[in-house]
Amino acid sequence: PYLTVLPDGQFNLALQSTFDPYAKRSEKWFLMLEAEQAETVLAGSYIQWSPDADITWIEYTDLNCFYCQKMEEDGTAKAVLEKYPETVNKTTHNFIWTGWQKTQVWAELLECIWKIAWADSYNASLSEILTSKNSDKDGILEIAESQWVDIAAVNSCYDAGETKDIVATRFAAGQDIFGVTGTPGNILLNNATWEYTLISGAYPAESFEEAIDEMLSN
């Protein structure tokens, strides 16, 4: 009951998602967003590198995801961003997936780190947590503190549930707009045309570069 036949005879497997396999596609066969969907997805994102880039890489991740950790350890995103410094930027969205309840706590804490200290501390903390695999609550707070984040303010934010809504919004967008069903779920989004492609899983930089080049081709 979870398999949907696609027009080309292949199948789409969608669990816990309202993603439409018959969604609009461009002439280059990329899936496409409506402008309001793109605005929803990108609202409040924590952009790394050029804010005016042609393509935004949205990585749906969770701290307990082995392949998310591996991709960060391998420096995949860093390699891609360094190759396309003005063309590609990146944002990481928390996705409630592996070890659901723990992932929920971690995601809310990370969003609180952003709320208190903004994007640079959020991105630096997230990268260090993934590479160190130090993802319990105390470990997250310890790493955030090393980034000069006010830990008392983060705890207060978390205890008050101030970031529950943004975590829920990120998760719903990943599932319902893009059809993400696991982590890492990587979206390459063309900010001019709203074309996008989903790369599910941890792949080497070359795989992302190939998709980026195709997306930018005339």
Side-chain angles (χ1 to χ4, degrees), residues 28 213-218:
K28 291 190 286 187
D213 290 341
E214 183 179 358
M215 188 170 281
L216 293 174
S217 65
N218 294 324

Side-chain angles (χ1 to χ4, degrees), residues 120-160:
D120 287 348
S121 294
Y122 168 89
N123 288 319
S125 297
L126 177 59
S127 178
E128 188 174 344
I129 293 164
L130 285 170
T131 54
S132 69
K133 303 178 179 62
N134 190 7
S135 57
D136 60 24
K137 183 178 179 181
D138 289 341
I140 291 170
L141 294 175
E142 180 181 342
I143 288 171
E145 189 171 30
S146 73
Q147 299 295 330
W148 306 101
V149 178
D150 183 341
I151 299 307
V154 171
N155 277 317
S156 177
C157 167
Y158 172 76
D159 291 341

Side-chain angles (χ1 to χ4, degrees), residues 7-190:
D8 61 3
Q10 298 187 61
F11 292 87
N12 180 71
L13 175 64
L15 299 178
Q16 303 170 327
S17 173
T18 59
F19 175 72
D20 180 7
Y22 298 102
K24 181 180 177 182
R25 289 182 180 267
S26 69
E27 291 182 358
K28 291 190 286 187
W29 205 239
F30 287 110
L31 288 160
M32 298 188 69
L33 295 185
E34 299 296 335
E36 59 270 22
Q37 289 177 308
E39 290 172 4
T40 296
V41 169
L42 294 175
S45 290
Y46 323 128
I47 299 294
Q48 296 175 275
W49 296 63
S50 173
D52 301 317
D54 298 318
I55 291 175
T56 294
W57 174 354
I58 307 165
E59 179 188 347
Y60 287 92
T61 190
D62 76 72
L63 299 183
N64 200 39
C65 163
F66 170 80
Y67 292 105
C68 303
Q69 294 166 351
K70 177 173 173 47
M71 199 161 70
E72 189 68 23
E73 289 174 348
D74 290 346
T76 303
K78 184 174 184 291
V80 172
L81 292 170
E82 287 180 347
K83 182 172 181 177
Y84 305 90
E86 302 299 325
T87 306
V88 179
N89 60 28
K90 185 173 184 287
T91 184
T92 305
H93 290 181
N94 295 294
F95 194 78
I96 311 305
W97 190 247
T98 310
W100 292 79
Q101 185 54 47
K102 287 183 178 180
T103 307
Q104 178 74 35
V105 171
W106 300 335
E108 290 180 31
L109 282 170
L110 282 168
E111 296 291 346
C112 283
I113 290 169
W114 172 81
K115 188 172 184 179
I116 301 304
W118 299 98
D120 287 348
S121 294
Y122 168 89
N123 288 319
S125 297
L126 177 59
S127 178
E128 188 174 344
I129 293 164
L130 285 170
T131 54
S132 69
K133 303 178 179 62
N134 190 7
S135 57
D136 60 24
K137 183 178 179 181
D138 289 341
I140 291 170
L141 294 175
E142 180 181 342
I143 288 171
E145 189 171 30
S146 73
Q147 299 295 330
W148 306 101
V149 178
D150 183 341
I151 299 307
V154 171
N155 277 317
S156 177
C157 167
Y158 172 76
D159 291 341
E162 294 179 16
T163 58
K164 285 183 181 293
D165 287 347
I166 186 64
V167 170
T169 298
R170 298 277 196 235
F171 183 56
Q175 281 194 315
D176 298 338
I177 294 178
F178 294 120
V180 174
T181 56
T183 53
N186 303 286
I187 308 298
L188 296 176
L189 174 65
N190 187 316

